[in-house]
């Protein structure tokens, strides 16, 4: 079994906060991939389903962000999972809005949810980092992450969530390259190349002009010879 954890804070007050993009991501996965209804367990909400041919448990810790590790640890102990069976989806200040990156291990960079998980299970779990941008000064971080996404951010946010859902099966299989490609197709759609000029006209259209043919030479042989030596 794979445990996919989305980080956030519980309650309607925080529902649309930047800090809750992890909750948003697992909600989208559950909806698009026909997971079982959410239910309360492990100090959080869980939903079970299948991704990539394997069983997956989605978890939204409801302990508030700075105690997320308690909920994750309970779920891991119940199912006898190792940190390598856990993927955490969370907001990332150090990535531009709309950027998505995968990582295994490393530090928590001051993220309260990751810090709590580090303390509970260690750092060797997988992560999906969802860029939300930085407010520009560390003193503004708390207010920034606990504010709702702006209306102007709705388009890229929707693209990111759809991309995560598109690649969820690849993520479950551990193919982070394919997962990130699916996200990129949503966030950076391929632009059509320049149209080639049609060689034949469409039905009802005006035919393309043909190259002019040289006029026939109706001079007599003697005149051609005279003109040649002029």
């Amino acid at each position: 079994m794979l445990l996919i954890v989305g980080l956030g804070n519980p309650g309607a007050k925080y529902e649309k906060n930047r800090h809750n993009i992890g909750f948003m991501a697992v909600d989208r996965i559950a909806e698009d991939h026909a997971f079982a209804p959410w239910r309360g367990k492990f100090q959080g909400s869980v939903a079970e389903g299948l991704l990539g041919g394997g069983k997956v448990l989605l978890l939204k810790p409801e302990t508030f962000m700075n105690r997320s590790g308690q909920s994750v640890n309970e779920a891991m102990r119940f199912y006898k999972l190792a940190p390598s069976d856990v993927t955490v989806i969370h907001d990332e200040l150090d990535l531009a809005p709309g950027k998505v990156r995968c990582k295994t291990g490393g530090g928590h960079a001051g993220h309260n949810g990751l810090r709590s998980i580090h303390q509970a299970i260690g750092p060797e779990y997988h992560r999906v980092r969802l860029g939300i941008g930085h407010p520009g000064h560390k003193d503004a971080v708390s207010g920034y992450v606990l504010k709702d996404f702006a209306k102007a951010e709705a388009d890229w946010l929707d693209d990111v969530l759809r991309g995560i859902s598109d690649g969820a099966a690849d993520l479950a299989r551990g193919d982070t390259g394919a997962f990130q490609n699916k996200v990129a197709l949503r966030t950076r759609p391929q632009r059509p190349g320049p149209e080639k000029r049609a060689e034949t006209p469409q039905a009802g259209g005006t035919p393309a002009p043909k190259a002019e043919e040289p006029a026939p030479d109706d001079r007599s042989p003697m005149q051609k010879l005279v003109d040649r030596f002029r």
Side-chain angles (χ1 to χ4, degrees), residues 219-230:
R219 293 175 298 165
S220 67
M222 181 60 72
Q223 186 63 49
K224 291 179 180 179
L225 183 61
V226 172
D227 289 345
R228 180 179 178 186
F229 288 99
R230 281 182 177 178

Side-chain angles (χ1 to χ4, degrees), residues 18-113:
R18 294 185 178 93
H19 223 17
N20 273 42
I21 194 171
F23 274 17
M24 298 175 195
V26 292
D27 278 337
R28 180 60 63 88
I29 292 172
E31 180 180 352
D32 290 352
H33 295 274
F35 272 57
W38 292 96
R39 58 193 176 90
K41 199 170 184 179
F42 308 127
Q43 301 183 61
S45 291
V46 298
E48 295 182 10
L50 297 174
L51 286 174
K55 189 174 181 181
V56 172
L57 183 73
L58 302 177
L59 171 64
K60 296 187 292 185
E62 295 180 348
T63 52
F64 285 94
M65 187 68 80
N66 62 354
R67 293 189 291 122
S68 299
Q70 295 178 12
S71 176
V72 174
N73 191 37
E74 275 196 33
M76 287 179 62
R77 290 175 62 188
F78 183 86
Y79 289 106
K80 298 179 174 58
L81 302 177
S84 58
D85 300 317
V86 179
T87 297
V88 177
I89 305 177
H90 65 91
D91 57 304
E92 178 60 69
L93 289 164
D94 293 332
L95 288 177
K99 297 291 185 183
V100 177
R101 296 290 183 269
C102 296
K103 177 181 179 180
T104 299
H108 53 67
H111 190 290
N112 288 333

Side-chain angles (χ1 to χ4, degrees), residues 7 19 90-95 103 105-119 123 125 127 129 132-134 138 141-142 145:
L7 294 188
H19 223 17
H90 65 91
D91 57 304
E92 178 60 69
L93 289 164
D94 293 332
L95 288 177
K103 177 181 179 180
H108 53 67
H111 190 290
N112 288 333
L114 298 184
R115 179 188 285 113
S116 177
I117 295 172
H118 272 50
Q119 292 170 349
Y125 54 91
R127 308 170 206 180
R129 307 159 65 215
I132 61 170
H134 198 286
K138 64 179 182 179
V141 165
S142 180
V145 298

